Amino acid sequence: MAPLRPADVSLTCKEALAVSIWERQVVQPAAFEVLGEAVTAIDNYGSYSCRRIYGQAEGPISEHASANALDVAGFKLANGEVISVLKDWNDPGPKGQFLHRVRDGGCRVFITVLSPDYNAQHANHFHLDMGGSPLCQ
């Protein structure tokens, strides 16, 4: 299994299981099929953050407030290359194809998947969570 970087993220059991399933059933197969390499690390911006959605003063509580979400910024490959959501999302080649496949595959595992296609706040990461209403963008 590819470790999270940084590794010290707190996740609910449900979210941790979903991340593991996604990595094994979606990320690794897409990496081998599209890039010809294994993913050796998943770069992230963290999980737990006690706040409302987008850090607003009012409104719904974020899934991050209960460690039920993970923000993924990129992927390190076995050859040392890094695939970045921010830099490679719009790449028409293999990097962009890989990112779109792992986002789309995440929609079969997580309840909510948000990507750069959702809004500007997600331009540099995928938001993956196991709560709330189903949404895949």
Side-chain angles (χ1 to χ4, degrees), residues 84-103:
S84 162
V85 174
L86 178 63
K87 294 177 187 172
D88 300 317
W89 180 251
N90 292 317
D91 175 46
K95 292 178 183 180
Q97 293 170 20
F98 166 75
L99 289 172
H100 283 81
R101 281 186 63 175
V102 299
R103 187 273 314 265

Side-chain angles (χ1 to χ4, degrees), residues 1 3 7 28-29 39 45-46 64 66 69-70 75 80 86 89 99 126-127:
M1 179 163 169
Q28 293 298 355
V39 168
Y45 292 137
H64 287 287
S66 60
L70 180 69
F75 304 85
L86 178 63
W89 180 251
L99 289 172
F126 297 142
H127 168 95

